[in-house]
Short mmCIF file of all heavy atoms in Angstrom, two decimals:
data_model
loop_
_atom_site.label_atom_id
_atom_site.label_comp_id
_atom_site.label_asym_id
_atom_site.label_seq_id
_atom_site.Cartn_x
_atom_site.Cartn_y
_atom_site.Cartn_z
N MET B 166 -0.95 -8.24 4.94
CA MET B 166 -0.22 -7.01 5.23
C MET B 166 1.02 -6.93 4.35
O MET B 166 1.35 -7.86 3.63
CB MET B 166 0.22 -6.99 6.69
CG MET B 166 1.19 -8.12 7.03
SD MET B 166 1.90 -8.03 8.67
CE MET B 166 0.54 -8.60 9.66
N GLY B 167 1.69 -5.77 4.41
CA GLY B 167 3.03 -5.64 3.86
C GLY B 167 3.15 -5.42 2.37
O GLY B 167 4.26 -5.39 1.84
N GLU B 168 2.03 -5.22 1.67
CA GLU B 168 2.11 -5.12 0.21
C GLU B 168 2.92 -3.91 -0.25
O GLU B 168 3.65 -3.97 -1.24
CB GLU B 168 0.70 -5.11 -0.42
CG GLU B 168 -0.09 -3.84 -0.29
CD GLU B 168 -0.67 -3.59 1.10
OE1 GLU B 168 -0.63 -4.50 1.95
OE2 GLU B 168 -1.16 -2.47 1.33
N GLU B 169 2.81 -2.78 0.49
CA GLU B 169 3.55 -1.60 0.06
C GLU B 169 5.05 -1.74 0.29
O GLU B 169 5.86 -1.28 -0.52
CB GLU B 169 3.03 -0.33 0.74
CG GLU B 169 3.20 -0.27 2.25
CD GLU B 169 1.95 -0.71 2.98
OE1 GLU B 169 1.69 -1.94 2.96
OE2 GLU B 169 1.28 0.13 3.59
N ASN B 170 5.44 -2.43 1.38
CA ASN B 170 6.86 -2.66 1.65
C ASN B 170 7.48 -3.54 0.56
O ASN B 170 8.57 -3.27 0.07
CB ASN B 170 7.05 -3.32 3.01
CG ASN B 170 6.43 -2.52 4.14
OD1 ASN B 170 5.48 -2.96 4.76
ND2 ASN B 170 6.94 -1.33 4.39
N ILE B 171 6.77 -4.60 0.19
CA ILE B 171 7.24 -5.49 -0.87
C ILE B 171 7.32 -4.75 -2.20
O ILE B 171 8.30 -4.85 -2.93
CB ILE B 171 6.30 -6.71 -0.98
CG1 ILE B 171 6.42 -7.58 0.28
CG2 ILE B 171 6.59 -7.52 -2.24
CD1 ILE B 171 5.33 -8.63 0.40
N PHE B 172 6.28 -3.98 -2.50
CA PHE B 172 6.24 -3.21 -3.74
C PHE B 172 7.43 -2.26 -3.84
O PHE B 172 8.12 -2.22 -4.88
CB PHE B 172 4.92 -2.43 -3.80
CG PHE B 172 4.81 -1.48 -4.94
CD1 PHE B 172 4.54 -1.94 -6.22
CD2 PHE B 172 4.96 -0.10 -4.74
CE1 PHE B 172 4.43 -1.04 -7.28
CE2 PHE B 172 4.85 0.78 -5.79
CZ PHE B 172 4.59 0.32 -7.06
N LEU B 173 7.71 -1.50 -2.78
CA LEU B 173 8.79 -0.53 -2.83
C LEU B 173 10.16 -1.21 -2.90
O LEU B 173 11.06 -0.74 -3.61
CB LEU B 173 8.71 0.40 -1.62
CG LEU B 173 7.53 1.37 -1.65
CD1 LEU B 173 7.42 2.14 -0.33
CD2 LEU B 173 7.64 2.35 -2.81
N PHE B 174 10.32 -2.33 -2.19
CA PHE B 174 11.58 -3.08 -2.29
C PHE B 174 11.77 -3.59 -3.72
O PHE B 174 12.88 -3.53 -4.26
CB PHE B 174 11.58 -4.25 -1.30
CG PHE B 174 12.31 -3.96 -0.01
CD1 PHE B 174 11.95 -2.87 0.76
CD2 PHE B 174 13.35 -4.76 0.43
CE1 PHE B 174 12.60 -2.59 1.96
CE2 PHE B 174 14.01 -4.49 1.61
CZ PHE B 174 13.64 -3.40 2.38
N ASP B 175 10.71 -4.11 -4.34
CA ASP B 175 10.79 -4.57 -5.72
C ASP B 175 11.21 -3.43 -6.65
O ASP B 175 12.03 -3.61 -7.56
CB ASP B 175 9.46 -5.15 -6.19
CG ASP B 175 9.15 -6.52 -5.61
OD1 ASP B 175 10.06 -7.12 -4.99
OD2 ASP B 175 8.01 -6.99 -5.77
N CYS B 176 10.63 -2.25 -6.41
CA CYS B 176 10.95 -1.08 -7.25
C CYS B 176 12.43 -0.70 -7.12
O CYS B 176 13.11 -0.45 -8.12
CB CYS B 176 10.07 0.10 -6.85
SG CYS B 176 8.34 -0.07 -7.33
N ILE B 177 12.92 -0.64 -5.89
CA ILE B 177 14.32 -0.25 -5.68
C ILE B 177 15.27 -1.29 -6.26
O ILE B 177 16.27 -0.95 -6.89
CB ILE B 177 14.59 -0.02 -4.17
CG1 ILE B 177 13.75 1.16 -3.66
CG2 ILE B 177 16.07 0.25 -3.92
CD1 ILE B 177 13.74 1.31 -2.14
N LYS B 178 14.94 -2.58 -6.05
CA LYS B 178 15.80 -3.64 -6.57
C LYS B 178 15.89 -3.60 -8.10
O LYS B 178 16.90 -4.01 -8.68
CB LYS B 178 15.29 -5.01 -6.11
CG LYS B 178 15.63 -5.32 -4.65
CD LYS B 178 15.28 -6.73 -4.25
CE LYS B 178 13.81 -6.91 -3.98
NZ LYS B 178 13.50 -8.23 -3.36
N LYS B 179 14.84 -3.10 -8.75
CA LYS B 179 14.84 -3.02 -10.21
C LYS B 179 15.29 -1.66 -10.74
O LYS B 179 15.15 -1.36 -11.92
CB LYS B 179 13.46 -3.38 -10.76
CG LYS B 179 13.12 -4.85 -10.55
CD LYS B 179 11.97 -5.30 -11.40
CE LYS B 179 11.74 -6.81 -11.26
NZ LYS B 179 10.65 -7.28 -12.15
N GLY B 180 15.83 -0.83 -9.82
CA GLY B 180 16.47 0.41 -10.25
C GLY B 180 15.58 1.62 -10.35
O GLY B 180 16.02 2.68 -10.85
N LEU B 181 14.33 1.55 -9.88
CA LEU B 181 13.47 2.73 -9.93
C LEU B 181 13.91 3.76 -8.90
O LEU B 181 14.39 3.40 -7.82
CB LEU B 181 12.00 2.34 -9.69
CG LEU B 181 11.18 2.03 -10.95
CD1 LEU B 181 11.78 0.91 -11.75
CD2 LEU B 181 9.74 1.71 -10.58
N LYS B 182 13.72 5.02 -9.25
CA LYS B 182 14.14 6.13 -8.38
C LYS B 182 12.92 6.63 -7.61
O LYS B 182 11.92 7.04 -8.20
CB LYS B 182 14.77 7.24 -9.20
CG LYS B 182 16.10 6.82 -9.85
CD LYS B 182 16.67 7.91 -10.72
CE LYS B 182 18.01 7.49 -11.27
NZ LYS B 182 17.92 6.29 -12.15
N ILE B 183 13.03 6.61 -6.28
CA ILE B 183 11.93 7.00 -5.39
C ILE B 183 12.36 8.21 -4.58
O ILE B 183 13.48 8.25 -4.04
CB ILE B 183 11.55 5.85 -4.44
CG1 ILE B 183 11.21 4.59 -5.25
CG2 ILE B 183 10.38 6.25 -3.54
CD1 ILE B 183 10.96 3.36 -4.39
N TYR B 184 11.48 9.20 -4.47
CA TYR B 184 11.76 10.40 -3.69
C TYR B 184 10.64 10.63 -2.68
O TYR B 184 9.50 10.18 -2.87
CB TYR B 184 11.89 11.63 -4.61
CG TYR B 184 13.12 11.60 -5.48
CD1 TYR B 184 13.09 10.98 -6.73
CD2 TYR B 184 14.31 12.18 -5.06
CE1 TYR B 184 14.21 10.93 -7.54
CE2 TYR B 184 15.45 12.14 -5.86
CZ TYR B 184 15.39 11.52 -7.10
OH TYR B 184 16.51 11.47 -7.88
N TYR B 185 11.01 11.35 -1.63
CA TYR B 185 10.03 11.74 -0.60
C TYR B 185 9.99 13.26 -0.54
O TYR B 185 11.03 13.92 -0.45
CB TYR B 185 10.44 11.17 0.76
CG TYR B 185 9.52 11.58 1.89
CD1 TYR B 185 8.33 10.90 2.14
CD2 TYR B 185 9.84 12.66 2.72
CE1 TYR B 185 7.49 11.28 3.16
CE2 TYR B 185 9.00 13.04 3.76
CZ TYR B 185 7.83 12.34 3.97
OH TYR B 185 7.00 12.72 4.99
N VAL B 186 8.77 13.81 -0.61
CA VAL B 186 8.57 15.26 -0.54
C VAL B 186 7.65 15.55 0.65
O VAL B 186 6.49 15.10 0.64
CB VAL B 186 7.96 15.80 -1.86
CG1 VAL B 186 7.62 17.27 -1.71
CG2 VAL B 186 8.92 15.58 -3.01
N PRO B 187 8.13 16.26 1.67
CA PRO B 187 7.33 16.45 2.90
C PRO B 187 6.26 17.53 2.79
O PRO B 187 6.25 18.52 3.53
CB PRO B 187 8.41 16.82 3.92
CG PRO B 187 9.46 17.50 3.13
CD PRO B 187 9.48 16.82 1.78
N ILE B 188 5.35 17.35 1.84
CA ILE B 188 4.22 18.26 1.66
C ILE B 188 2.94 17.45 1.75
O ILE B 188 2.82 16.39 1.13
CB ILE B 188 4.30 18.99 0.30
CG1 ILE B 188 5.61 19.79 0.19
CG2 ILE B 188 3.09 19.91 0.12
CD1 ILE B 188 5.81 20.44 -1.17
N LYS B 189 1.98 17.96 2.49
CA LYS B 189 0.71 17.25 2.69
C LYS B 189 -0.14 17.29 1.42
O LYS B 189 -0.35 18.35 0.83
CB LYS B 189 -0.06 17.89 3.85
CG LYS B 189 -1.44 17.30 4.08
CD LYS B 189 -2.16 18.04 5.21
CE LYS B 189 -3.61 17.62 5.31
NZ LYS B 189 -4.33 18.35 6.39
N ILE B 190 -0.64 16.10 1.03
CA ILE B 190 -1.57 16.04 -0.10
C ILE B 190 -2.96 15.57 0.32
O ILE B 190 -3.92 15.74 -0.43
CB ILE B 190 -1.05 15.15 -1.23
CG1 ILE B 190 -0.82 13.70 -0.76
CG2 ILE B 190 0.22 15.74 -1.86
CD1 ILE B 190 -0.60 12.71 -1.90
N ALA B 191 -3.07 14.97 1.53
CA ALA B 191 -4.38 14.42 1.91
C ALA B 191 -4.45 14.18 3.41
O ALA B 191 -3.44 14.13 4.12
CB ALA B 191 -4.64 13.11 1.18
N LEU B 192 -5.69 14.02 3.87
CA LEU B 192 -6.00 13.60 5.23
C LEU B 192 -6.57 12.20 5.17
O LEU B 192 -7.45 11.91 4.34
CB LEU B 192 -7.02 14.55 5.86
CG LEU B 192 -7.59 14.12 7.23
CD1 LEU B 192 -6.55 14.28 8.32
CD2 LEU B 192 -8.84 14.93 7.57
N LEU B 193 -6.09 11.32 6.04
CA LEU B 193 -6.65 9.98 6.14
C LEU B 193 -7.58 9.95 7.34
O LEU B 193 -7.16 10.12 8.48
CB LEU B 193 -5.53 8.94 6.31
CG LEU B 193 -5.96 7.47 6.31
CD1 LEU B 193 -6.52 7.06 4.96
CD2 LEU B 193 -4.78 6.58 6.68
N ARG B 194 -8.86 9.75 7.07
CA ARG B 194 -9.85 9.74 8.14
C ARG B 194 -9.69 8.50 9.01
O ARG B 194 -9.29 7.44 8.53
CB ARG B 194 -11.26 9.81 7.57
CG ARG B 194 -11.54 11.05 6.73
CD ARG B 194 -12.99 11.04 6.27
NE ARG B 194 -13.33 12.20 5.48
CZ ARG B 194 -13.41 12.21 4.16
NH1 ARG B 194 -13.18 11.10 3.47
NH2 ARG B 194 -13.74 13.31 3.50
N LYS B 195 -10.08 8.63 10.26
CA LYS B 195 -9.99 7.50 11.18
C LYS B 195 -11.02 6.44 10.79
O LYS B 195 -12.19 6.73 10.59
CB LYS B 195 -10.25 7.96 12.61
CG LYS B 195 -10.03 6.89 13.66
CD LYS B 195 -10.19 7.46 15.07
CE LYS B 195 -9.95 6.38 16.12
NZ LYS B 195 -10.09 6.90 17.50
N SER B 196 -10.56 5.21 10.67
CA SER B 196 -11.46 4.10 10.32
C SER B 196 -10.94 2.83 10.95
O SER B 196 -9.76 2.71 11.27
CB SER B 196 -11.57 3.94 8.80
OG SER B 196 -10.31 3.64 8.24
N GLU B 197 -11.83 1.87 11.08
CA GLU B 197 -11.46 0.59 11.69
C GLU B 197 -10.75 -0.29 10.67
O GLU B 197 -11.17 -0.39 9.52
CB GLU B 197 -12.71 -0.12 12.22
CG GLU B 197 -12.40 -1.26 13.16
CD GLU B 197 -13.64 -1.78 13.87
OE1 GLU B 197 -14.55 -0.98 14.15
OE2 GLU B 197 -13.70 -2.99 14.14
N SER B 198 -9.66 -0.91 11.10
CA SER B 198 -8.90 -1.78 10.20
C SER B 198 -9.74 -2.98 9.79
O SER B 198 -10.45 -3.58 10.60
CB SER B 198 -7.62 -2.25 10.88
OG SER B 198 -6.96 -3.20 10.08
N THR B 199 -9.63 -3.34 8.50
CA THR B 199 -10.37 -4.51 8.01
C THR B 199 -9.58 -5.80 8.20
O THR B 199 -10.12 -6.88 7.98
CB THR B 199 -10.68 -4.34 6.51
OG1 THR B 199 -9.45 -4.18 5.78
CG2 THR B 199 -11.57 -3.13 6.27
N TRP B 200 -8.31 -5.68 8.58
CA TRP B 200 -7.49 -6.89 8.65
C TRP B 200 -6.84 -7.11 10.01
O TRP B 200 -6.60 -8.24 10.40
CB TRP B 200 -6.40 -6.87 7.57
CG TRP B 200 -5.43 -5.74 7.70
CD1 TRP B 200 -5.48 -4.53 7.08
CD2 TRP B 200 -4.23 -5.72 8.50
NE1 TRP B 200 -4.42 -3.75 7.44
CE2 TRP B 200 -3.63 -4.45 8.30
CE3 TRP B 200 -3.62 -6.65 9.34
CZ2 TRP B 200 -2.44 -4.08 8.94
CZ3 TRP B 200 -2.43 -6.27 9.98
CH2 TRP B 200 -1.86 -5.00 9.77
N PHE B 201 -6.56 -6.05 10.77
CA PHE B 201 -5.83 -6.22 12.03
C PHE B 201 -6.75 -6.76 13.12
O PHE B 201 -7.72 -6.12 13.50
CB PHE B 201 -5.21 -4.90 12.48
CG PHE B 201 -4.41 -5.01 13.75
CD1 PHE B 201 -3.21 -5.69 13.77
CD2 PHE B 201 -4.88 -4.46 14.94
CE1 PHE B 201 -2.47 -5.81 14.94
CE2 PHE B 201 -4.16 -4.57 16.09
CZ PHE B 201 -2.95 -5.25 16.10
#
Side-chain angles (χ1 to χ4, degrees):
M166 63 172 77
E168 75 285 349
E169 64 264 72
N170 304 114
I171 292 168
F172 173 76
L173 290 173
F174 262 56
D175 286 350
C176 289
I177 296 169
K178 283 187 281 190
K179 291 196 175 183
L181 268 58
K182 294 177 176 62
I183 305 174
Y184 291 88
Y185 177 83
V186 174
I188 301 175
K189 176 183 171 181
I190 60 168
L192 172 72
L193 185 65
R194 300 183 179 101
K195 187 175 181 179
S196 61
E197 194 169 327
S198 173
T199 58
W200 62 266
F201 181 70

